[in-house]
Amino acid sequence: MTVVQRSAEHSMREMHLVPFPPAGAVLPADAPDILPESAPPTPGQITDAIATLDAFQLVSQATDERCADAQLQSNEMRKHEQLEKQKQSLDRQSHDTGGRGFFSCIGDFLKDTTVDLVELRFGKLASDVRVDGSACDNPQFWSDLEVGAKIVAAVAAAVATVMSAGTLGPVVVGVALALSAAGFAIQETHCLGSASDGVGVGCEVAAAVVTFGASAGTAGAAASSALAQTSSGVAQATGAGATAVAGAAQIESGAFQADALEASADAEGAQRSTQRLSTLGQWVLDTLRAQMAAHRDAMSALSTAARNNEKASLLAAAPLSKG
Amino acid sequence: MNVTTRTIGLNSELGAGGDLAAQVALLQVESGEQTRDIERRIQQTEESIAENDADQEVDAMRQKAHDTFTQGMVDGVSSMGEGAFQAASASCTFRSAGCEGAAGTALKAQGAWYSSGGVGLQGSSKIFDAFEGGAQLTDDVVAKTRGQAADRASRAAQDAHDAAAREQDAVAQATTFFEDVQQLRVSTNAAILQRA
């Protein structure tokens, strides 16, 4: 075994020391032939060859192990990064879908402001306003504000219509409300199949047109009382303000929803990457296992070959000694 | 590398003596290697398909986020515009309260026109919502379909990997078979010589 190892090391050292010609180099005509002679190998040469192959197997096995180890470590690092990214995305998604409602935020804001003003702590007032203001910037707050502003706008529109349309007002408001509610219900329940969205939108537009028609109809009618007109104007102005606030809240709410969906997409992408890296890691391990088995087989084959070579040498020598 | 080395050995054996055992083992090894290469290629292809489909799934989800943002922005801006029209209409209503006759009627008419602008914006926004809702449903369907396709491709890649591993075993069995035959041959020769 020692002889075999020494022979292998010798062969390996020789291989490393052989100068390799550069790419494209032309060898001189009198260059020595580096190919082995074609004479049949002696038993000693076969032993050397087997030892060299044995050494190659050991080197190859170590290289395979190192490669697999590096690949697994790289995979683990990337998997860790992806898991971190997934966690951050899920946190972002959670932040963009929750939060305290409108009344809770406003209640805290008013309480802190009042306490600071009463106790004359103006320095703290600024920081409280800033903290409570940033706490209000959450999806639930904007969603509540949007819904509330829309309700205020709808009530104001109804009041304005009643005031300006005189006796026809309640009827018009009733019809408009019925149309609007029907449109909302159809869109939410999808009771009319694929046509639900179209019909729902149509009902809501019809409600708006009825309201508008009632208002426009009064334009040419006899002048109503100044009080009624002023009330109608106040209601319209309130509705205008509420509609504008609802619009601003809708933009914020939509931005939060979109960001939550974006975070969900990021989380999904990171989860897919993590799964893929896990599978790749498993495949690297499988391949390494197969390579190890192949190395074992090859070593076994080499030792069998060495034994056979020894037996063949003995058999070749036996008839001669007998003769 | 190992299999290649051993295949070269088998080739030499086949070239040297035309041995039947070597031929059988060599055929088995070559067939196993070819099948394994094919399975590896299938695995790589399915893997890249899975990756591509997963990317498209995430893209569709991002598109839905983009559509949602656009919808919120358009709705919000149109609501603010509607509020502006309503404010203009309210201004006309206030001014008409102090006017009598033709001037008051003209202001009322002007207010009604402003209101109609608001209604028009509201209607346009609703129609846009309907289209955006459809686009978001499409994004959902695309994301779901691509996700399922990615799962299918991942499973196919795993199957190809398993098949390649089985072929590796078949190659190992072929070489073991050849080694056994060689061993038997040496033992037989030794026995014959011993008897002689």
Side-chain angles (χ1 to χ4, degrees):
Chain A
M1 188 63 187
T2 319
V3 175
V4 169
Q5 274 180 340
R6 200 163 48 234
S7 173
E9 281 171 14
H10 176 69
S11 305
M12 293 291 292
R13 210 177 304 123
E14 270 192 346
M15 284 194 65
H16 284 297
L17 288 173
V18 167
F20 207 76
V26 180
L27 290 173
D30 57 344
D33 193 2
I34 57 169
L35 291 174
E37 290 175 8
S38 57
T42 62
Q45 284 174 329
I46 291 174
T47 308
D48 284 351
I50 289 171
T52 308
L53 284 173
D54 206 37
F56 265 129
Q57 284 299 325
L58 289 172
V59 172
S60 170
Q61 186 172 350
T63 310
D64 287 346
E65 280 176 14
R66 271 202 305 275
C67 284
D69 190 44
Q71 210 169 344
L72 284 173
Q73 277 184 8
S74 161
N75 266 12
E76 278 303 310
M77 274 173 60
R78 286 169 60 196
K79 208 161 82 172
H80 183 73
E81 283 169 12
Q82 292 299 326
L83 279 171
E84 193 61 33
K85 192 176 165 189
Q86 187 181 359
K87 185 178 169 296
Q88 284 172 0
S89 302
L90 289 173
D91 285 347
R92 192 153 57 97
Q93 191 183 1
S94 167
H95 172 262
D96 289 343
T97 49
R100 290 151 60 206
F102 176 81
F103 290 107
S104 169
C105 288
I106 292 295
D108 281 354
F109 179 79
L110 290 176
K111 189 183 82 181
D112 291 345
T113 313
T114 310
V115 168
D116 291 339
L117 284 174
V118 167
E119 294 179 359
L120 300 175
R121 292 186 301 184
F122 296 109
K124 195 166 181 294
L125 176 68
S127 69
D128 278 346
V129 166
R130 200 170 51 248
V131 169
D132 289 338
S134 61
C136 285
D137 191 18
N138 68 68
Q140 193 59 46
F141 174 86
W142 291 110
S143 177
D144 288 354
L145 182 60
E146 181 190 340
V147 171
K150 278 183 175 172
I151 290 171
V152 170
V155 170
V159 170
T161 307
V162 168
M163 289 297 174
S164 59
T167 50
L168 263 179
V171 178
V172 172
V173 168
V175 171
L177 277 177
L179 279 170
S180 186
F184 179 77
I186 289 169
Q187 282 187 83
E188 288 298 312
T189 57
H190 284 93
C191 57
L192 298 180
S194 58
S196 298
D197 281 338
V199 173
V201 169
C203 285
E204 290 190 354
V205 171
V209 169
V210 166
T211 313
F212 163 69
S215 305
T218 58
S224 50
S225 71
L227 179 64
Q229 282 189 31
T230 307
S231 304
S232 174
V234 169
Q236 277 185 331
T238 308
T243 307
V245 168
Q250 215 165 0
I251 290 173
E252 285 291 332
S253 188
F256 272 113
Q257 276 180 31
D259 198 48
L261 288 170
E262 186 91 29
S264 167
D266 286 347
E268 177 70 20
Q271 190 187 359
R272 290 259 178 212
S273 295
T274 311
Q275 280 175 353
R276 203 164 43 239
L277 288 168
S278 295
T279 310
L280 282 177
Q282 190 58 49
W283 288 350
V284 168
L285 283 175
D286 288 350
T287 308
L288 182 64
R289 239 175 257 134
Q291 281 172 340
M292 291 295 111
H295 282 304
R296 271 198 306 276
D297 288 349
M299 298 293 268
S300 156
L302 284 172
S303 61
T304 308
R307 276 201 307 276
N308 289 347
N309 186 37
E310 275 178 37
K311 281 182 189 174
S313 301
L314 289 172
L315 287 171
L320 287 175
S321 61
K322 205 169 186 176
Chain B
M1 181 185 169
N2 297 317
V3 172
T4 311
T5 310
R6 298 169 82 180
T7 310
I8 290 167
L10 289 172
N11 267 319
S12 308
E13 185 71 26
L14 183 63
D19 188 352
L20 185 63
Q23 282 183 32
V24 170
L26 180 64
L27 282 174
Q28 178 65 40
V29 167
E30 283 181 346
S31 156
E33 282 185 342
Q34 281 172 7
T35 313
R36 202 181 52 175
D37 285 347
I38 291 167
E39 293 294 348
R40 290 268 185 244
R41 261 182 239 135
I42 291 172
Q43 180 188 340
Q44 283 168 1
T45 309
E46 292 291 351
E47 208 183 321
S48 85
I49 289 172
E51 200 171 342
N52 189 35
D53 280 334
D55 286 347
Q56 287 190 18
E57 180 197 12
V58 173
D59 284 348
M61 291 173 80
R62 285 190 208 288
Q63 182 60 43
K64 188 184 176 188
H66 180 258
D67 288 344
T68 304
F69 181 78
T70 308
Q71 187 181 2
M73 189 60 79
V74 169
D75 281 355
V77 169
S78 69
S79 284
M80 289 166 84
E82 193 187 338
F85 275 117
Q86 284 177 0
S89 177
S91 162
C92 290
T93 308
F94 279 125
R95 281 187 287 157
S96 70
C99 294
E100 295 292 334
T105 308
L107 277 170
K108 278 187 178 179
Q110 199 179 352
W113 278 114
Y114 283 134
S115 288
S116 72
V119 172
L121 264 180
Q122 191 184 4
S124 307
S125 167
K126 295 280 179 196
I127 291 167
F128 180 79
D129 278 358
F131 280 113
E132 273 299 315
Q136 286 173 23
L137 281 176
T138 308
D139 294 336
D140 280 342
V141 170
V142 170
K144 194 173 177 185
T145 311
R146 288 298 168 191
Q148 287 170 346
D151 289 340
R152 270 198 305 276
S154 293
R155 279 197 296 274
Q158 184 65 50
D159 289 347
H161 172 79
D162 294 345
R166 279 196 298 276
E167 287 306 324
Q168 175 84 22
D169 292 345
V171 169
Q173 281 171 6
T175 48
T176 308
F177 160 75
F178 178 67
E179 283 160 17
D180 289 347
V181 170
Q182 287 292 84
Q183 185 70 38
L184 183 65
R185 187 173 294 146
V186 170
S187 306
T188 310
N189 285 342
I192 290 168
L193 282 170
Q194 193 72 31
R195 200 175 295 166

